[in-house]
Amino acid sequence: MKNASTITAFIISFLVVGSLALVFLFMNRQEEEPGHTSPAATTEEPARQTVTPQPTVDPLTRDDIEKQTSTPETLVNLSSPQTLAQAIAKVIQDRDLNTLKALEVQQAVTEAQSRTIRELMEARHVRLSSPGITSIGANNQGTNPTARYTLNFSSGARGYLDMKRNDKQQWTLDTLTLPSKQDLAKDKAAPMVMNDPMGIVSSFMDAVAKADFRGARKFVDGSKVQDATVAGLCILFEEGTFRLRDDAPIKTAYEADTNAGFFVHLQDAQGRKAGNVGLTVAKTDGQWLIAEASLDSMLEAYTKRQGAGDDFFIPIVKNPQGGDSLALFFGFNEDALSKRSARQLQIVAEAIKMDGGKKLEISGHTDDVGSERYNQGLSERRAAAVKAQLIEFGVPAERIVTRGFGKSQPRRTYSTNANDEERDEARKENRRAEMYLDF
């Protein structure tokens, strides 16, 4: 009897525990089914979701960027040398790797040139000034024209881009010439001189444009080009506000192994054409020098710009003994120098002081108005005024010889039936003092 009660109690306990387990399972299923929410769920924080870790990606390296290929939209227009020069300047100034890649894809630069340009990009102190490039000149002779531009660095140093047009009519970088690393780092570096025909012409004209007689004289063969010609060119540039044409001012006329000819095209302050200078360079002992200079076109352009009035100015004239003389002009019955004449004489003084053995002959002249005696005295006073100014600029008095010729040696004459205007123009040109440096 006792065993029966024990069995009955076990069965009842089993049934109760099983019922509770069924109830627990049923409630959990309701919570998992959509649309059923446990009362406790509205107050308890939701369970955290498990996130599967993603593989890490390293940022793009410089090598990765350089491996990217250029798209057609980034290709450079190579139909002109200027666009190529501008693209190279942009690469250096803006550290523009995409444009450099475009130039590589188009084979506008070689691998070696690209490496050199990259070195400039990586140098933090290397910057370009404004403008970053300057057009120097072009040689359109032959089937593959060439063009030269400068890279103007902020240090004052200068590099050169020599471009050539290939058979596909595209411009490519032929030669890249850079200054030294020391010059790139300087505050004021002297521009590098290219010892080739166009380089010498360019450096010579740079000095002339600054009225720097000493600088210009270094590029001249003194046995073939007179100091008066160089000084007159400097004076013309300063007085006439001439400057080099913006686009390829230096044009090659011909080029051989030992000589070459160029036309240097000019413009005035308003950007109008203003004649040209003809220059011939010759090679002697490995050095290119200016061997001949023709200023006729420039002088003609300047003369046409002369206004009306009593003033007359043209700084360089032909000397009866041969070569060129510098000329100063005076007003009617005047023997005093103008401020313009004084500035002109500063350049003449530099020319004389550069050569310790050089002397200067000054001849004074007048127009034909007045007596012989009066004009003789006036011509002597004009020559003396020039001498006094040169002495003030540091030229020793013993190196200056003066003479007065009155009205006996006119540069310009007129016929007996000339009108008043023709007579006045001739007389203005005859009221002068001439300076002959080589005698």
Side-chain angles (χ1 to χ4, degrees):
M1 189 71 181
K2 185 177 179 179
N3 292 335
S5 297
T6 300
I7 294 170
T8 302
F10 176 80
I11 292 172
I12 293 172
S13 299
F14 178 80
L15 292 174
V16 170
V17 173
S19 298
L20 290 173
L22 290 172
V23 171
F24 182 78
L25 291 172
F26 178 75
M27 291 179 66
N28 279 347
R29 172 177 281 185
Q30 283 186 319
E31 289 177 355
E32 292 175 359
E33 287 179 359
H36 291 80
T37 305
S38 169
T42 60
T43 58
E44 294 181 3
E45 185 179 5
R48 295 180 180 274
Q49 296 183 355
T50 301
V51 179
T52 303
Q54 300 294 321
T56 58
V57 179
D58 293 331
L60 290 175
T61 65
R62 181 180 171 191
D63 289 337
D64 294 326
I65 295 173
E66 292 185 355
K67 289 176 183 178
Q68 297 177 11
T69 58
S70 300
T71 61
E73 289 75 18
T74 64
L75 297 183
V76 178
N77 179 2
L78 301 178
S79 61
S80 75
Q82 182 169 349
T83 55
L84 175 55
Q86 289 172 336
I88 294 173
K90 184 177 186 296
V91 167
I92 297 171
Q93 185 74 343
D94 299 339
R95 275 57 177 172
D96 187 347
L97 189 60
N98 287 332
T99 298
L100 180 57
K101 289 295 296 183
L103 294 176
E104 293 171 353
V105 169
Q106 293 171 275
Q107 298 181 332
V109 296
T110 65
E111 291 183 6
Q113 291 166 350
S114 179
R115 286 194 298 270
T116 302
I117 293 172
R118 287 167 193 264
E119 291 176 1
L120 290 176
M121 295 167 63
E122 294 169 8
R124 294 186 177 182
H125 64 278
V126 173
R127 305 293 296 176
L128 297 179
S129 62
S130 180
I133 59 169
T134 303
S135 177
I136 293 296
N139 183 352
N140 294 325
Q141 311 295 315
T143 56
N144 297 108
T146 61
R148 174 173 288 177
Y149 285 76
T150 62
L151 280 172
N152 305 311
F153 293 97
S154 58
S155 66
R158 180 184 295 170
Y160 292 91
L161 303 172
D162 285 298
M163 271 88 71
K164 180 181 290 186
R165 194 173 68 188
N166 61 25
D167 296 335
K168 297 179 181 178
Q169 305 302 302
Q170 290 183 324
W171 286 88
T172 61
L173 181 58
D174 188 42
T175 305
L176 173 61
T177 307
L178 295 176
S180 67
K181 293 182 179 179
Q182 291 78 9
D183 283 344
L184 285 173
K186 287 180 182 177
D187 290 334
K188 293 182 179 179
M192 177 174 51
V193 177
M194 296 284 283
N195 185 24
D196 60 18
M198 185 173 288
I200 294 301
V201 169
S202 175
S203 296
F204 173 73
M205 293 305 302
D206 277 350
V208 165
K210 299 172 185 174
D212 178 9
F213 174 85
R214 286 178 176 265
R217 185 66 177 74
K218 293 187 298 184
F219 304 106
V220 171
D221 184 341
S223 66
K224 297 178 180 178
V225 179
Q226 292 180 320
D227 287 349
T229 304
V230 179
L233 188 53
C234 291
I235 293 166
L236 268 174
F237 256 84
E238 184 172 70
E239 172 64 26
T241 61
F242 288 100
R243 60 190 180 92
L244 301 185
R245 189 175 69 183
D246 293 332
D247 181 28
I250 302 174
K251 291 284 189 180
T252 304
Y254 69 91
E255 189 165 0
D257 292 339
T258 58
N259 57 73
F262 298 88
F263 289 107
V264 182
H265 295 275
L266 310 174
Q267 60 187 30
D268 60 19
Q270 289 72 41
R272 298 171 298 195
K273 293 181 179 179
N276 61 67
V277 177
L279 296 175
T280 300
V281 294
K283 191 174 185 179
T284 304
D285 298 328
Q287 175 65 47
W288 291 93
L289 292 173
I290 306 293
E292 186 178 353
S294 174
L295 314 185
D296 293 346
S297 175
M298 184 181 186
L299 286 168
E300 181 181 358
Y302 185 83
T303 303
K304 289 180 178 178
R305 291 162 52 191
Q306 292 293 304
D310 194 47
D311 193 22
F312 182 85
F313 177 79
I314 186 168
I316 190 166
V317 295
K318 295 299 179 183
N319 189 280
Q321 302 176 46
D324 295 323
S325 290
L326 297 172
L328 297 172
F329 293 88
F330 295 82
F332 177 72
N333 201 30
E334 292 181 359
D335 57 19
L337 297 174
S338 65
K339 291 182 179 180
R340 180 169 65 187
S341 296
R343 170 57 186 144
Q344 183 173 345
L345 288 175
Q346 282 184 306
I347 298 175
V348 176
E350 288 296 315
I352 300 172
K353 289 187 289 186
M354 280 187 69
D355 188 340
K358 191 180 293 294
K359 290 188 177 182
L360 175 69
E361 179 183 292
I362 303 172
S363 60
H365 305 268
T366 69
D367 59 27
D368 59 350
V369 178
S371 67
E372 292 277 356
R373 181 178 178 180
Y374 181 83
N375 281 318
Q376 179 62 33
L378 179 58
S379 67
E380 291 173 358
R381 293 195 299 273
R382 286 173 174 171
V386 175
K387 178 178 180 178
Q389 184 65 76
L390 287 171
I391 292 173
E392 187 175 330
F393 287 146
V395 178
E398 61 271 17
R399 294 177 59 187
I400 304 173
V401 178
T402 62
R403 298 180 64 187
F405 290 93
K407 57 182 178 180
S408 65
Q409 294 185 4
R411 291 206 66 86
R412 182 173 171 182
T413 60
Y414 54 89
S415 63
T416 55
N417 59 352
N419 57 37
D420 290 343
E421 182 179 356
E422 291 172 335
R423 284 196 296 268
D424 288 342
E425 289 299 316
R427 287 167 175 168
K428 283 192 293 185
E429 192 167 339
N430 292 330
R431 297 192 289 262
R432 71 198 189 278
E434 292 186 20
M435 294 167 284
Y436 186 61
L437 274 69
D438 303 278
F439 76 100

